[in-house]
């Protein structure tokens, strides 16, 4: 069975806006967690409950961002590689892999790198239409 010229990896690449949003959720959780007063002796359990929810947002938001960043980076590389098999002037899979590495670094611990990697991935998806129509 011949390989399709329309690789389905683009669906993984299209998830690229989610990790920055998950990082924002984790940051909001961190801000909320830092503002909770755990030393209050008024007997209110609301502050403790807010602290637990904020901590859960921090953990789930950050780890989800890391996992999704890795999935987007792998999809980006595999999509560029699949297109390169069928198109002569396709985007460089090595450049796509480099953008993917920067994107994973942004998701892991350096969120300022999203300023470089998110526009690069958006441009990749925009230019991808030239090789494989959506």
């Amino acid at each position: 069975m011949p390989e399709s010229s329309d690789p389905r990896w683009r669906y993984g690449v299209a998830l690229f806006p989610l990790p920055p949003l998950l990082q924002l959720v984790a940051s909001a959780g961190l801000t909320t967690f830092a503002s909770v007063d755990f030393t209050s002796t008024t007997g209110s359990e609301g502050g403790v409950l807010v602290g637990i929810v904020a901590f859960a947002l921090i953990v789930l938001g950050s780890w989800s961002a890391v996992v999704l960043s890795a999935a987007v980076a792998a999809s980006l590389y595999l999509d560029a590689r699949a297109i390169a098999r069928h198109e002569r002037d396709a985007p460089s899979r090595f450049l796509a892999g480099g953008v993917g590495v920067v994107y994973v670094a942004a998701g892991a611990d350096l969120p300022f790198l999203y300023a470089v990697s998110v526009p690069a991935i958006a441009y990749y998806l925009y230019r991808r239409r030239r090789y494989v129509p959506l």
Side-chain angles (χ1 to χ4, degrees):
M1 186 165 147
E3 185 179 345
S4 170
S5 65
D6 179 17
R8 301 291 180 202
W9 295 109
R10 72 170 177 257
Y11 298 119
V13 178
L15 295 175
F16 78 95
L18 290 179
L21 294 176
L22 288 170
Q23 285 284 2
L24 286 175
V25 167
S27 295
L30 181 62
T31 303
T32 304
F33 187 78
S35 67
V36 172
D37 183 19
F38 292 108
T39 61
S40 175
T41 57
T42 61
S44 171
E45 296 175 359
V48 173
L49 188 60
V50 168
I52 291 171
V53 170
F55 182 75
L57 283 176
I58 295 167
V59 172
L60 292 175
S62 358
W63 280 105
S64 299
V66 170
V67 169
L68 273 175
S69 293
V72 167
S75 296
L76 181 66
Y77 175 76
L78 293 172
D79 187 59
R81 187 180 74 172
I83 291 174
R85 287 184 182 160
H86 297 283
E87 298 291 332
R88 176 164 287 206
D89 62 337
S92 168
R93 65 178 188 252
F94 299 112
L95 184 60
V99 169
V101 168
V102 171
Y103 193 74
V104 170
D109 201 24
L110 304 168
F112 64 89
L113 290 176
Y114 282 133
V116 175
S117 58
V118 168
I121 294 173
Y123 181 72
Y124 171 83
L125 282 176
Y126 173 74
R127 294 294 295 183
R128 183 188 189 282
R129 294 180 306 150
R130 186 169 77 174
Y131 306 106
V132 180
L134 297 175

